[in-house]
Amino acid sequence: MTPITYEFIKTCKQTGARLGRVHTPHGSFDTPTFMPVGTLATVKTMSPEDLKEMNANIILSNTYHLWLRPGEDIIKEAGGLHKFMNWDRTILTDSGGFQVFSLSDMREIKEEGVHFRNHLNGAKLFLSPEKAMQIQNDLGSDIMMAFDECPPYPATYDYMKSSVERTSRWAERCLEAHERKDIQGLFGIIQGGEYEALRKQSAEDLVSMNFPGYAIGGLSVGEPKDIMNRVLEFTTPLLPSDKPRYLMGVGSPDSLIDGAIRGIDMFDCVLPTRIARNGTCMTSNGRLVVRNAKYARDFGPIDENCDCHVCKNYSRAYVRHLIKCNETFGFRLTTYHNLHFLLKLMEQVRTAISEDRLGDFKEAFFEQYGLNQP
Ligand SMILES: Nc1nc2cc3nc(NCCc4ccc(C(=O)O)cc4)[nH]c3cc2c(=O)[nH]1
Ligand SMILES: [Zn+2]
């Protein structure tokens, strides 16, 4: 019995986006959905209570980071990541593939795995499909990601082809090493860059391995938005319609809407939480850099169309003051609002799908957010 099941509900007649529900050992969540990122076993400055209050039902954490600090052995001893961080809803862990390539230098990719340096102290490390699976198994995440290579953008066709073939072999090895198929789901990650033939090859390889869900990797790595959209248009149809589809590393409002329209069910990104910590907020009228001097005497809410407790109880002037003084509470306020904004956006996307009007919603949202229609 697979621990992760996808319940298809309906397709938006206007766009082809789909409404669904994913069932996991730690609860279910409606899709399309956004996953707040909790890299080091915390969504920075948010408590589990904050996350529940804003209706977050799944969060992401990172194999690579938790392996380095505190070590998966300590988390295993604590009873697993859910217990360790007091989060009893769903957890997805990324496999380390991307983190190794984005954080570490001196990496050497071999068939057996990747040799690289610890980005904290320079010590030599080795990560393989088997090691990535052992770490995730010890963390006890509900959804584990296969260990893959996320090639840089741009990459040559030849490089990408050999990378895709190795990532498929690594996916096979992850399945072999998967000890708890009864309680932990494992998603395959489709690579292939901007090349349709390679995305097809990667999808065929991984779909034949019968994973309970699939991620589209290798995107949101600096490619133009139209390339991402094109890759989605020819990749999502290659994936089974009865399993979740997860677009990795995507988190701007426009990309979430455009991804949902192209059949994506799950998204994650550090963007909302990272920009919050440098005083930038997402609002219905576009981005607002609340630390700017022009808000020093602005006693209105961050977003007058937002119903979150931050917008109900605190002013731009107060939030700006806290951010300027580097006060932790300021980062809590901007982070809470940004996550609430994206979770609310996904709720509006789901409602628009159920009412067959996601195209209209996109137009109105882009207009108000200040995104010129492509
Ligand atoms: N295993 C695996 N994981 C991935 C994570 C990713 N994350 C991204 N993009 C994140 C882009 C990103 C990075 C930082 C900020 C910020 O600091 O705001 C925003 C966006 N692309 C990604 C691709 C992969 C992938 O193929 N394989
Ligand atoms: Zn708000």
Side-chain angles (χ1 to χ4, degrees), residues 94-95 97-99 146 148 150 189 191 217-221 248-249 269-271 274-275:
D94 196 354
S95 55
F98 181 80
Q99 287 72 38
D148 62 330
C150 174
I189 304 177
Q191 293 292 348
L219 291 175
S220 191
V221 287
M248 306 185 88
C269 196
V270 294
L271 183 73
R274 203 217 14 109
I275 64 173

Side-chain angles (χ1 to χ4, degrees), residues 302-303 306-311 337 340:
I302 287 175
D303 182 351
C306 180
D307 61 355
C308 87
H309 80 78
V310 177
C311 294
H337 165 79
H340 177 275

